[in-house]
PDB file of all heavy atoms in Angstrom:
ATOM      1  N   TRP A 150       6.519 -30.257  37.237  1.00  0.00           N
ATOM      2  CA  TRP A 150       6.078 -29.485  36.078  1.00  0.00           C
ATOM      3  C   TRP A 150       6.554 -28.050  36.297  1.00  0.00           C
ATOM      4  O   TRP A 150       6.065 -27.351  37.173  1.00  0.00           O
ATOM      5  CB  TRP A 150       4.563 -29.545  35.986  1.00  0.00           C
ATOM      6  CG  TRP A 150       3.974 -29.117  34.676  1.00  0.00           C
ATOM      7  CD1 TRP A 150       4.587 -28.470  33.655  1.00  0.00           C
ATOM      8  CD2 TRP A 150       2.618 -29.312  34.265  1.00  0.00           C
ATOM      9  NE1 TRP A 150       3.715 -28.241  32.629  1.00  0.00           N
ATOM     10  CE2 TRP A 150       2.487 -28.746  32.972  1.00  0.00           C
ATOM     11  CE3 TRP A 150       1.498 -29.899  34.863  1.00  0.00           C
ATOM     12  CZ2 TRP A 150       1.290 -28.755  32.274  1.00  0.00           C
ATOM     13  CZ3 TRP A 150       0.306 -29.904  34.154  1.00  0.00           C
ATOM     14  CH2 TRP A 150       0.200 -29.351  32.880  1.00  0.00           C
ATOM     15  N   TYR A 151       7.523 -27.634  35.490  1.00  0.00           N
ATOM     16  CA  TYR A 151       8.121 -26.309  35.648  1.00  0.00           C
ATOM     17  C   TYR A 151       7.363 -25.238  34.856  1.00  0.00           C
ATOM     18  O   TYR A 151       7.006 -25.442  33.689  1.00  0.00           O
ATOM     19  CB  TYR A 151       9.569 -26.319  35.166  1.00  0.00           C
ATOM     20  CG  TYR A 151      10.535 -26.998  36.098  1.00  0.00           C
ATOM     21  CD1 TYR A 151      11.093 -28.234  35.763  1.00  0.00           C
ATOM     22  CD2 TYR A 151      10.921 -26.406  37.294  1.00  0.00           C
ATOM     23  CE1 TYR A 151      11.994 -28.855  36.610  1.00  0.00           C
ATOM     24  CE2 TYR A 151      11.822 -27.020  38.145  1.00  0.00           C
ATOM     25  CZ  TYR A 151      12.354 -28.242  37.788  1.00  0.00           C
ATOM     26  OH  TYR A 151      13.254 -28.869  38.635  1.00  0.00           O
ATOM     27  N   PHE A 152       7.146 -24.100  35.501  1.00  0.00           N
ATOM     28  CA  PHE A 152       6.580 -22.913  34.870  1.00  0.00           C
ATOM     29  C   PHE A 152       7.511 -21.742  35.173  1.00  0.00           C
ATOM     30  O   PHE A 152       8.026 -21.655  36.282  1.00  0.00           O
ATOM     31  CB  PHE A 152       5.198 -22.573  35.442  1.00  0.00           C
ATOM     32  CG  PHE A 152       4.175 -23.659  35.265  1.00  0.00           C
ATOM     33  CD1 PHE A 152       4.131 -24.738  36.133  1.00  0.00           C
ATOM     34  CD2 PHE A 152       3.258 -23.602  34.237  1.00  0.00           C
ATOM     35  CE1 PHE A 152       3.179 -25.739  35.980  1.00  0.00           C
ATOM     36  CE2 PHE A 152       2.311 -24.591  34.073  1.00  0.00           C
ATOM     37  CZ  PHE A 152       2.274 -25.669  34.948  1.00  0.00           C
ATOM     38  N   HIS A 153       7.706 -20.875  34.225  1.00  0.00           N
ATOM     39  CA  HIS A 153       8.517 -19.711  34.571  1.00  0.00           C
ATOM     40  C   HIS A 153       7.623 -18.579  35.051  1.00  0.00           C
ATOM     41  O   HIS A 153       6.458 -18.444  34.658  1.00  0.00           O
ATOM     42  CB  HIS A 153       9.459 -19.296  33.449  1.00  0.00           C
ATOM     43  CG  HIS A 153       8.836 -18.538  32.324  1.00  0.00           C
ATOM     44  ND1 HIS A 153       8.299 -17.276  32.461  1.00  0.00           N
ATOM     45  CD2 HIS A 153       8.699 -18.846  31.015  1.00  0.00           C
ATOM     46  CE1 HIS A 153       7.869 -16.841  31.308  1.00  0.00           C
ATOM     47  NE2 HIS A 153       8.079 -17.775  30.411  1.00  0.00           N
ATOM     48  N   TYR A 154       8.154 -17.772  35.933  1.00  0.00           N
ATOM     49  CA  TYR A 154       7.416 -16.670  36.546  1.00  0.00           C
ATOM     50  C   TYR A 154       6.947 -15.679  35.486  1.00  0.00           C
ATOM     51  O   TYR A 154       7.692 -15.325  34.576  1.00  0.00           O
ATOM     52  CB  TYR A 154       8.321 -15.955  37.554  1.00  0.00           C
ATOM     53  CG  TYR A 154       7.700 -14.726  38.189  1.00  0.00           C
ATOM     54  CD1 TYR A 154       6.815 -14.847  39.250  1.00  0.00           C
ATOM     55  CD2 TYR A 154       8.008 -13.443  37.720  1.00  0.00           C
ATOM     56  CE1 TYR A 154       6.244 -13.721  39.832  1.00  0.00           C
ATOM     57  CE2 TYR A 154       7.447 -12.319  38.301  1.00  0.00           C
ATOM     58  CZ  TYR A 154       6.566 -12.458  39.352  1.00  0.00           C
ATOM     59  OH  TYR A 154       6.009 -11.346  39.926  1.00  0.00           O
ATOM     60  N   MET A 155       5.684 -15.265  35.621  1.00  0.00           N
ATOM     61  CA  MET A 155       5.136 -14.231  34.751  1.00  0.00           C
ATOM     62  C   MET A 155       4.704 -13.055  35.620  1.00  0.00           C
ATOM     63  O   MET A 155       3.906 -13.228  36.553  1.00  0.00           O
ATOM     64  CB  MET A 155       3.939 -14.769  33.967  1.00  0.00           C
ATOM     65  CG  MET A 155       4.320 -15.825  32.943  1.00  0.00           C
ATOM     66  SD  MET A 155       5.390 -15.168  31.639  1.00  0.00           S
ATOM     67  CE  MET A 155       4.289 -14.032  30.803  1.00  0.00           C
ATOM     68  N   PRO A 156       5.192 -11.853  35.373  1.00  0.00           N
ATOM     69  CA  PRO A 156       4.879 -10.693  36.218  1.00  0.00           C
ATOM     70  C   PRO A 156       3.505 -10.113  35.920  1.00  0.00           C
ATOM     71  O   PRO A 156       3.366  -9.042  35.320  1.00  0.00           O
ATOM     72  CB  PRO A 156       5.996  -9.706  35.880  1.00  0.00           C
ATOM     73  CG  PRO A 156       6.356 -10.051  34.467  1.00  0.00           C
ATOM     74  CD  PRO A 156       6.172 -11.535  34.327  1.00  0.00           C
ATOM     75  N   VAL A 157       2.455 -10.835  36.338  1.00  0.00           N
ATOM     76  CA  VAL A 157       1.085 -10.362  36.149  1.00  0.00           C
ATOM     77  C   VAL A 157       0.365 -10.435  37.491  1.00  0.00           C
ATOM     78  O   VAL A 157       0.798 -11.131  38.411  1.00  0.00           O
ATOM     79  CB  VAL A 157       0.337 -11.205  35.100  1.00  0.00           C
ATOM     80  CG1 VAL A 157       0.982 -11.079  33.741  1.00  0.00           C
ATOM     81  CG2 VAL A 157       0.286 -12.672  35.519  1.00  0.00           C
ATOM     82  N   GLY A 158      -0.738  -9.728  37.608  1.00  0.00           N
ATOM     83  CA  GLY A 158      -1.528  -9.781  38.828  1.00  0.00           C
ATOM     84  C   GLY A 158      -1.023  -8.831  39.891  1.00  0.00           C
ATOM     85  O   GLY A 158      -0.157  -7.978  39.658  1.00  0.00           O
ATOM     86  N   ASN A 159      -1.583  -8.995  41.099  1.00  0.00           N
ATOM     87  CA  ASN A 159      -1.210  -8.132  42.217  1.00  0.00           C
ATOM     88  C   ASN A 159       0.240  -8.362  42.639  1.00  0.00           C
ATOM     89  O   ASN A 159       0.710  -9.487  42.670  1.00  0.00           O
ATOM     90  CB  ASN A 159      -2.127  -8.406  43.423  1.00  0.00           C
ATOM     91  CG  ASN A 159      -3.556  -7.970  43.142  1.00  0.00           C
ATOM     92  OD1 ASN A 159      -3.820  -7.218  42.213  1.00  0.00           O
ATOM     93  ND2 ASN A 159      -4.482  -8.448  43.958  1.00  0.00           N
ATOM     94  N   ASP A 160       0.935  -7.295  42.965  1.00  0.00           N
ATOM     95  CA  ASP A 160       2.297  -7.369  43.501  1.00  0.00           C
ATOM     96  C   ASP A 160       3.272  -8.051  42.553  1.00  0.00           C
ATOM     97  O   ASP A 160       4.194  -8.753  42.985  1.00  0.00           O
ATOM     98  CB  ASP A 160       2.303  -8.095  44.858  1.00  0.00           C
ATOM     99  CG  ASP A 160       1.397  -7.429  45.874  1.00  0.00           C
ATOM    100  OD1 ASP A 160       1.390  -6.183  45.920  1.00  0.00           O
ATOM    101  OD2 ASP A 160       0.693  -8.148  46.607  1.00  0.00           O
ATOM    102  N   ALA A 161       3.088  -7.892  41.254  1.00  0.00           N
ATOM    103  CA  ALA A 161       4.023  -8.474  40.284  1.00  0.00           C
ATOM    104  C   ALA A 161       5.389  -7.821  40.412  1.00  0.00           C
ATOM    105  O   ALA A 161       5.511  -6.623  40.666  1.00  0.00           O
ATOM    106  CB  ALA A 161       3.484  -8.289  38.869  1.00  0.00           C
ATOM    107  N   VAL A 162       6.435  -8.634  40.217  1.00  0.00           N
ATOM    108  CA  VAL A 162       7.811  -8.146  40.324  1.00  0.00           C
ATOM    109  C   VAL A 162       8.530  -8.479  39.015  1.00  0.00           C
ATOM    110  O   VAL A 162       9.020  -9.598  38.834  1.00  0.00           O
ATOM    111  CB  VAL A 162       8.549  -8.801  41.510  1.00  0.00           C
ATOM    112  CG1 VAL A 162       9.964  -8.222  41.633  1.00  0.00           C
ATOM    113  CG2 VAL A 162       7.776  -8.610  42.807  1.00  0.00           C
ATOM    114  N   PRO A 163       8.589  -7.558  38.074  1.00  0.00           N
ATOM    115  CA  PRO A 163       9.214  -7.850  36.777  1.00  0.00           C
ATOM    116  C   PRO A 163      10.643  -8.360  36.877  1.00  0.00           C
ATOM    117  O   PRO A 163      11.080  -9.141  36.024  1.00  0.00           O
ATOM    118  CB  PRO A 163       9.151  -6.495  36.056  1.00  0.00           C
ATOM    119  CG  PRO A 163       7.982  -5.796  36.674  1.00  0.00           C
ATOM    120  CD  PRO A 163       7.998  -6.202  38.106  1.00  0.00           C
ATOM    121  N   ALA A 164      11.375  -7.961  37.923  1.00  0.00           N
ATOM    122  CA  ALA A 164      12.773  -8.394  38.056  1.00  0.00           C
ATOM    123  C   ALA A 164      12.890  -9.896  38.249  1.00  0.00           C
ATOM    124  O   ALA A 164      13.966 -10.469  38.034  1.00  0.00           O
ATOM    125  CB  ALA A 164      13.428  -7.664  39.230  1.00  0.00           C
ATOM    126  N   LEU A 165      11.803 -10.558  38.658  1.00  0.00           N
ATOM    127  CA  LEU A 165      11.835 -12.010  38.871  1.00  0.00           C
ATOM    128  C   LEU A 165      11.655 -12.804  37.576  1.00  0.00           C
ATOM    129  O   LEU A 165      11.837 -14.013  37.563  1.00  0.00           O
ATOM    130  CB  LEU A 165      10.756 -12.433  39.877  1.00  0.00           C
ATOM    131  CG  LEU A 165      10.960 -11.960  41.313  1.00  0.00           C
ATOM    132  CD1 LEU A 165       9.791 -12.404  42.189  1.00  0.00           C
ATOM    133  CD2 LEU A 165      12.276 -12.498  41.890  1.00  0.00           C
ATOM    134  N   LEU A 166      11.295 -12.123  36.500  1.00  0.00           N
ATOM    135  CA  LEU A 166      11.129 -12.808  35.223  1.00  0.00           C
ATOM    136  C   LEU A 166      12.480 -13.334  34.736  1.00  0.00           C
ATOM    137  O   LEU A 166      13.432 -12.565  34.603  1.00  0.00           O
ATOM    138  CB  LEU A 166      10.543 -11.853  34.184  1.00  0.00           C
ATOM    139  CG  LEU A 166      10.324 -12.419  32.778  1.00  0.00           C
ATOM    140  CD1 LEU A 166       9.254 -13.494  32.806  1.00  0.00           C
ATOM    141  CD2 LEU A 166       9.950 -11.297  31.815  1.00  0.00           C
ATOM    142  N   PRO A 167      12.606 -14.628  34.459  1.00  0.00           N
ATOM    143  CA  PRO A 167      13.891 -15.154  33.980  1.00  0.00           C
ATOM    144  C   PRO A 167      14.266 -14.553  32.633  1.00  0.00           C
ATOM    145  O   PRO A 167      13.406 -14.309  31.788  1.00  0.00           O
ATOM    146  CB  PRO A 167      13.634 -16.668  33.846  1.00  0.00           C
ATOM    147  CG  PRO A 167      12.447 -16.937  34.706  1.00  0.00           C
ATOM    148  CD  PRO A 167      11.608 -15.701  34.639  1.00  0.00           C
ATOM    149  N   SER A 168      15.541 -14.315  32.451  1.00  0.00           N
ATOM    150  CA  SER A 168      16.032 -13.788  31.183  1.00  0.00           C
ATOM    151  C   SER A 168      15.989 -14.899  30.130  1.00  0.00           C
ATOM    152  O   SER A 168      15.902 -16.084  30.463  1.00  0.00           O
ATOM    153  CB  SER A 168      17.469 -13.294  31.350  1.00  0.00           C
ATOM    154  OG  SER A 168      18.333 -14.402  31.578  1.00  0.00           O
ATOM    155  N   PRO A 169      16.058 -14.542  28.839  1.00  0.00           N
ATOM    156  CA  PRO A 169      16.104 -15.577  27.797  1.00  0.00           C
ATOM    157  C   PRO A 169      17.239 -16.577  28.017  1.00  0.00           C
ATOM    158  O   PRO A 169      17.058 -17.779  27.799  1.00  0.00           O
ATOM    159  CB  PRO A 169      16.303 -14.762  26.511  1.00  0.00           C
ATOM    160  CG  PRO A 169      15.655 -13.452  26.815  1.00  0.00           C
ATOM    161  CD  PRO A 169      15.952 -13.187  28.265  1.00  0.00           C
ATOM    162  N   ARG A 170      18.389 -16.104  28.466  1.00  0.00           N
ATOM    163  CA  ARG A 170      19.505 -17.017  28.714  1.00  0.00           C
ATOM    164  C   ARG A 170      19.195 -17.970  29.866  1.00  0.00           C
ATOM    165  O   ARG A 170      19.521 -19.172  29.800  1.00  0.00           O
ATOM    166  CB  ARG A 170      20.771 -16.222  29.015  1.00  0.00           C
ATOM    167  CG  ARG A 170      22.008 -17.095  29.266  1.00  0.00           C
ATOM    168  CD  ARG A 170      23.271 -16.277  29.314  1.00  0.00           C
ATOM    169  NE  ARG A 170      23.553 -15.665  28.017  1.00  0.00           N
ATOM    170  CZ  ARG A 170      24.611 -14.906  27.768  1.00  0.00           C
ATOM    171  NH1 ARG A 170      25.493 -14.659  28.732  1.00  0.00           N
ATOM    172  NH2 ARG A 170      24.797 -14.380  26.567  1.00  0.00           N
ATOM    173  N   GLN A 171      18.550 -17.469  30.910  1.00  0.00           N
ATOM    174  CA  GLN A 171      18.175 -18.327  32.031  1.00  0.00           C
ATOM    175  C   GLN A 171      17.118 -19.352  31.620  1.00  0.00           C
ATOM    176  O   GLN A 171      17.165 -20.500  32.032  1.00  0.00           O
ATOM    177  CB  GLN A 171      17.649 -17.480  33.191  1.00  0.00           C
ATOM    178  CG  GLN A 171      18.728 -16.704  33.932  1.00  0.00           C
ATOM    179  CD  GLN A 171      18.148 -15.832  35.020  1.00  0.00           C
ATOM    180  OE1 GLN A 171      17.157 -15.134  34.810  1.00  0.00           O
ATOM    181  NE2 GLN A 171      18.775 -15.856  36.197  1.00  0.00           N
ATOM    182  N   ARG A 172      16.182 -18.912  30.789  1.00  0.00           N
ATOM    183  CA  ARG A 172      15.157 -19.832  30.323  1.00  0.00           C
ATOM    184  C   ARG A 172      15.761 -20.934  29.478  1.00  0.00           C
ATOM    185  O   ARG A 172      15.363 -22.100  29.577  1.00  0.00           O
ATOM    186  CB  ARG A 172      14.102 -19.060  29.528  1.00  0.00           C
ATOM    187  CG  ARG A 172      13.249 -18.150  30.394  1.00  0.00           C
ATOM    188  CD  ARG A 172      12.455 -17.170  29.568  1.00  0.00           C
ATOM    189  NE  ARG A 172      11.501 -17.812  28.694  1.00  0.00           N
ATOM    190  CZ  ARG A 172      10.844 -17.188  27.720  1.00  0.00           C
ATOM    191  NH1 ARG A 172      11.067 -15.898  27.500  1.00  0.00           N
ATOM    192  NH2 ARG A 172       9.981 -17.827  26.971  1.00  0.00           N
ATOM    193  N   GLU A 173      16.728 -20.587  28.659  1.00  0.00           N
ATOM    194  CA  GLU A 173      17.383 -21.611  27.845  1.00  0.00           C
ATOM    195  C   GLU A 173      18.138 -22.592  28.732  1.00  0.00           C
ATOM    196  O   GLU A 173      18.088 -23.807  28.521  1.00  0.00           O
ATOM    197  CB  GLU A 173      18.332 -20.972  26.841  1.00  0.00           C
ATOM    198  CG  GLU A 173      19.039 -21.997  25.971  1.00  0.00           C
ATOM    199  CD  GLU A 173      19.865 -21.364  24.865  1.00  0.00           C
ATOM    200  OE1 GLU A 173      19.928 -20.123  24.812  1.00  0.00           O
ATOM    201  OE2 GLU A 173      20.445 -22.126  24.077  1.00  0.00           O
ATOM    202  N   ALA A 174      18.840 -22.069  29.744  1.00  0.00           N
ATOM    203  CA  ALA A 174      19.566 -22.950  30.667  1.00  0.00           C
ATOM    204  C   ALA A 174      18.606 -23.896  31.374  1.00  0.00           C
ATOM    205  O   ALA A 174      18.893 -25.089  31.552  1.00  0.00           O
ATOM    206  CB  ALA A 174      20.338 -22.117  31.684  1.00  0.00           C
TER     207      ALA A 174
END
Side-chain angles (χ1 to χ4, degrees):
W150 195 347
Y151 285 108
F152 300 81
H153 78 66
Y154 176 81
M155 292 296 293
V157 297
N159 293 344
D160 303 319
V162 183
L165 293 178
L166 179 66
S168 68
R170 181 170 295 181
Q171 287 177 314
R172 290 166 63 191
E173 180 173 3

